[in-house]
Amino acid sequence: MVKKKQVRDQSLCLDIVQKTELAFFRVMLQCDRLEKLPHLLGAALNRLPMLSGYALYMLDGESDALQCRYMRLPDQYRPMEKTMARAKVQIHGSEPIAEVFQSGKTLHIDESLRQADPSRFGADFSAWGFDYMELVPVTAHGNRLGVIVFFGLEGLPIPMNRIMTWLQVFVRQYSRLQAIDLAVFIPSLSQTNEQRQFLNFLVRINRLSSPETVYHQIGKEFMRRYPFNLFAVLLAEDTDLRMQYVMPSGEQFETIAEKLKSWAQNVRYSLTNSQGANQLAYSQRTGLHFPDVQEVLHMPMAEKDREGLLLLETARTFLMIPVLFRDESIGVFWLVSLEETVDIQEDDLHLLEALGSFFGSTFVNSVRFRDIEDERREARSVNENLQLRVQELDENVSCDYLTGLYNFRTFEDRLDSLIQGHQVSVEQGGDESNFALLMIDIDHFKGFNDTFGHDAGNMVLEQVSQRLQELVRENDIPCRYGGEEFTVILPSSDAETACEIAERIRTEIERMLPVNGTKPITVSIGVSSYVCDDTAGTLFQRADSALYKAKKSGRNQVCCSE
């Protein structure tokens, strides 16, 4: 029993992990404030029942110490959180947290290890409400950022593979937001309103999740700041650059944008050779600035570059800016003017290159979020189909194929369950709610079959079953017991109510029209009501005896047990 309970608990825990994961990815990828990230990670970890607590230590940039940024202790020690969260661990010390930070390796500390060296590992774990500790280094791109400590419970293993994925998302966002120095961009912004508008844009862009929306907002902002007429995004796919998005600055340029989209559907810029401006911007991770395309059209260039420029017809100033993620190129974006040249200074080019590096994370995160959403939709669709299939299988197993009523096995399960529930309720001081059982038999059915054939007999069974379903109440449980016999379990019914329902069923079936010119059908019904200490067997036996009495007394009647 303990093992089965653990399996159920682990299954429930896994379900909670899966439900928490998607919400965590969503809020983490949309977060734009560094100080909020540990709280978002903590909120996700709080939902995991296999954790008794945790503590997140991050490197303090002003000292050689790890500062506790977020902590959750077992409930009984919650008042200590604020005090302990102020603690620091020197990274060159001998404490386990410092050792994990220095080595970059995970450390598992259970009670046996603690007892072997109590001066090093502290007090009895059970006194703090957990059974073991898992110390995990937090790193990004080979750089050590901190250590997270998990307080675990025996019998509920921590899903470390899933949590490590969470940590990867966390450290990517943490290192990205930590690295953002908006002062790089501010010198090129001359007015206070412009500064505020641009900074609001940077915050807003990190809250978007759809790649197309991200591309649109970036293109819109670029063409607001500079008088370009066309914005395009090319991203690496395997060994090629492929155009993903094209955006004009206004209606007058929509035709040329559509032409570029159509042309780009069949065009790939190979990254295996260095021929072409796009490949050069990508491989050298540097922006290319063509002040006036019309002045260079006569010069030698890659064939695809020339095709693209001729397609743009009146292209003037052309910028190709690499998009970087983790200091590696993942794509290139274009800014093209189609009427006049644009005065681009060196500071502007540096700003655009910095933004290309900044937006790389935004591009990647939006694509990942889209992929997660696609996987979630696919998983939901598969789950819905499986649920429908399980429901169909359950119905096939629990229902009679011919009549659609519950079968004998389901009858037994429902009756046993009702009696057990009643007995538990009584033991716990609850109400002694009444219930009853009907046994129904089609009169002279064997003779009917012999006279009119089994096909007609099956039609009678179907017709009686359908009428029975129409006559019973919503919570009643009609079943085909076998052959021409039926049962109806009547929850919340005393003897008088049960006999009234039985009489209504008998009368209505007697009024049914004969099947295909055969003779009318009647039924005999036996009724029994639950009494204290009844079992399913005794309740059924009294109903069956009452049915036998009804048949012996001339059939087509209701007989209630004493």
Side-chain angles (χ1 to χ4, degrees):
M1 286 298 294
V2 173
K3 187 173 295 184
K4 289 184 178 179
K5 183 177 186 302
Q6 289 178 353
V7 171
R8 287 197 300 271
D9 289 344
Q10 292 176 13
S11 178
L12 176 61
C13 290
L14 180 59
D15 184 59
I16 293 174
V17 171
Q18 292 171 339
K19 290 179 179 178
T20 302
E21 188 168 83
L22 181 61
F24 171 73
F25 287 160
R26 183 193 300 271
V27 297
M28 186 62 66
L29 295 178
Q30 292 177 350
C31 181
D32 53 71
R33 294 171 55 191
L34 184 65
E35 66 273 18
K36 287 180 61 177
L37 290 180
H39 297 279
L40 295 178
L41 177 62
L45 294 175
N46 286 343
R47 292 176 58 91
L48 305 185
M50 67 285 294
L51 290 182
S52 182
Y54 52 87
L56 175 64
Y57 292 82
M58 300 299 289
L59 184 63
D60 183 355
E62 299 179 358
S63 64
D64 290 335
L66 294 168
Q67 173 75 54
C68 185
R69 295 296 178 85
Y70 204 83
M71 172 175 283
R72 174 55 62 96
L73 294 175
D75 291 345
Q76 62 269 38
Y77 300 106
R78 194 65 49 80
M80 289 290 294
E81 286 179 355
K82 289 185 178 180
T83 301
M84 299 187 69
R86 299 176 61 86
K88 288 187 177 182
V89 176
Q90 297 299 317
I91 62 174
H92 299 298
S94 59
E95 296 183 43
I97 293 175
E99 292 183 9
V100 170
F101 179 82
Q102 295 168 20
S103 68
K105 297 179 180 180
T106 298
L107 176 62
H108 178 84
I109 307 175
D110 56 18
E111 183 60 21
S112 61
L113 186 60
R114 187 203 67 79
Q115 290 180 359
D117 194 353
S119 62
R120 180 185 177 203
F121 296 121
D124 184 356
F125 290 168
S126 61
W128 284 88
F130 59 90
D131 300 311
Y132 64 92
M133 292 194 301
E134 198 82 28
L135 285 69
V136 180
V138 179
T139 62
H141 318 315
N143 297 320
R144 294 172 293 179
L145 299 179
V147 173
I148 187 166
V149 182
F150 298 110
F151 306 132
L153 297 171
E154 200 66 40
L156 292 176
I158 300 174
M160 290 306 301
N161 289 340
R162 306 294 287 269
I163 291 182
M164 290 303 293
T165 302
W166 297 13
L167 286 178
Q168 290 172 9
V169 174
F170 166 76
V171 297
R172 277 200 298 267
Q173 284 294 84
Y174 190 95
S175 59
R176 182 179 66 80
L177 293 178
Q178 191 180 50
I180 293 175
D181 183 4
L182 294 178
V184 173
F185 310 128
I186 291 176
S188 66
L189 307 175
S190 58
Q191 300 178 358
T192 303
N193 289 340
E194 178 69 12
Q195 293 176 11
R196 186 179 298 111
Q197 187 172 357
F198 186 64
L199 294 177
N200 286 339
F201 160 72
L202 294 179
V203 170
R204 187 172 63 252
I205 200 69
N206 277 290
R207 294 176 178 171
L208 302 175
S209 55
S210 162
E212 289 71 22
T213 305
V214 169
Y215 304 153
H216 177 81
Q217 291 298 326
I218 291 175
K220 182 179 178 180
E221 177 63 20
F222 281 161
M223 291 187 286
R224 182 191 70 81
R225 289 182 49 77
Y226 299 101
F228 288 104
N229 309 119
L230 203 65
F231 170 74
V233 177
L234 296 82
L235 294 180
E237 291 185 358
D238 297 326
T239 59
D240 297 319
L241 274 177
R242 181 180 178 185
M243 192 168 292
Q244 305 286 338
Y245 187 80
V246 178
M247 175 183 176
S249 62
E251 294 181 1
Q252 66 271 38
F253 304 110
E254 287 182 355
T255 300
I256 197 70
E258 290 301 321
K259 288 175 61 177
L260 181 60
K261 290 179 186 177
S262 178
W263 174 76
Q265 287 180 356
N266 300 312
V267 173
R268 305 287 188 276
Y269 294 95
S270 175
L271 297 175
T272 58
N273 63 67
S274 59
Q275 295 183 359
N278 288 289
Q279 294 94 322
L280 184 62
Y282 181 92
S283 61
Q284 297 295 323
R285 291 180 291 177
T286 186
L288 298 183
H289 174 209
F290 301 93
D292 192 346
V293 169
Q294 300 302 315
E295 296 178 354
V296 299
L297 279 175
H298 65 283
M299 297 181 181
M301 64 181 68
E303 182 179 348
K304 289 179 182 177
D305 287 352
R306 186 176 299 280
E307 287 180 10
L309 293 177
L310 293 176
L311 182 74
L312 295 174
E313 298 177 1
T314 60
R316 301 299 300 271
T317 301
F318 200 133
L319 295 180
M320 296 180 178
I321 305 297
V323 180
L324 306 183
F325 178 65
R326 297 181 181 176
D327 296 326
E328 295 294 333
S329 294
I330 63 169
V332 174
F333 67 77
W334 292 0
L335 285 169
V336 187
S337 68
L338 298 172
E339 292 182 333
E340 303 291 338
T341 58
V342 179
D343 183 20
I344 296 294
Q345 301 298 319
E346 192 67 22
D347 285 346
D348 296 315
L349 196 57
H350 287 322
L351 170 61
L352 291 169
E353 287 177 333
L355 289 172
S357 179
F358 174 79
F359 291 138
S361 295
T362 306
F363 284 9
V364 170
N365 288 340
S366 66
V367 171
R368 284 175 176 166
F369 185 82
R370 180 193 62 193
D371 292 343
I372 290 172
E373 285 288 290
D374 290 343
E375 290 176 2
R376 182 184 66 83
R377 282 191 291 268
E378 182 179 353
R380 184 171 61 186
S381 176
V382 171
N383 186 52
E384 289 174 352
N385 290 334
L386 285 174
Q387 288 179 343
L388 289 174
R389 183 58 181 154
V390 168
Q391 184 177 347
E392 291 174 0
L393 292 173
D394 184 60
E395 290 176 353
N396 289 338
V397 171
S398 62
C399 293
D400 176 63
Y401 177 77
L402 177 64
T403 64
L405 299 179
Y406 290 119
N407 58 23
F408 174 73
R409 192 192 73 173
T410 306
F411 161 72
E412 287 189 315
D413 291 342
R414 293 294 183 91
L415 187 58
D416 286 338
S417 177
L418 191 62
I419 291 175
Q420 291 173 9
H422 177 83
Q423 292 171 344
V424 170
S425 177
V426 171
E427 290 172 0
Q428 295 178 350
D431 295 334
E432 294 189 29
S433 57
N434 297 317
F435 58 92
L437 176 66
L438 308 184
M439 284 291 297
I440 305 170
D441 184 84
I442 300 176
D443 296 330
H444 304 295
F445 187 72
K446 183 179 184 302
F448 185 96
N449 264 344
D450 294 341
T451 303
F452 300 104
H454 288 284
D455 288 343
N458 286 341
M459 293 178 66
V460 166
L461 291 173
E462 292 176 10
Q463 189 180 58
V464 169
S465 300
Q466 181 178 351
R467 194 71 185 108
L468 190 58
Q469 287 179 312
E470 294 169 352
L471 293 170
V472 298
R473 302 167 303 178
E474 183 177 355
N475 292 331
D476 296 337
I477 307 169
C479 309
R480 185 184 180 192
Y481 187 77
E484 71 273 22
E485 289 186 320
F486 301 86
T487 63
V488 181
I489 302 172
L490 302 174
S492 304
S493 297
D494 55 20
E496 182 179 355
T497 301
C499 289
E500 290 175 356
I501 294 173
E503 182 59 30
R504 183 171 72 248
I505 292 172
R506 185 201 66 76
T507 302
E508 291 297 325
I509 291 179
E510 184 180 21
R511 292 174 179 171
M512 290 192 325
L513 294 175
V515 173
N516 292 343
T518 62
K519 68 178 184 179
I521 292 297
T522 62
V523 295
S524 299
I525 304 177
V527 183
S528 64
S529 297
Y530 179 83
V531 296
C532 184
D533 295 329
D534 247 340
T535 65
T538 58
L539 182 65
F540 177 83
Q541 183 61 46
R542 291 204 309 278
D544 191 51
S545 297
L547 172 63
Y548 180 78
K549 183 177 178 181
K551 294 171 70 173
K552 284 294 184 181
S553 300
R555 293 185 170 84
N556 190 23
Q557 58 184 279
V558 173
C559 186
C560 299
S561 67
E562 298 178 357

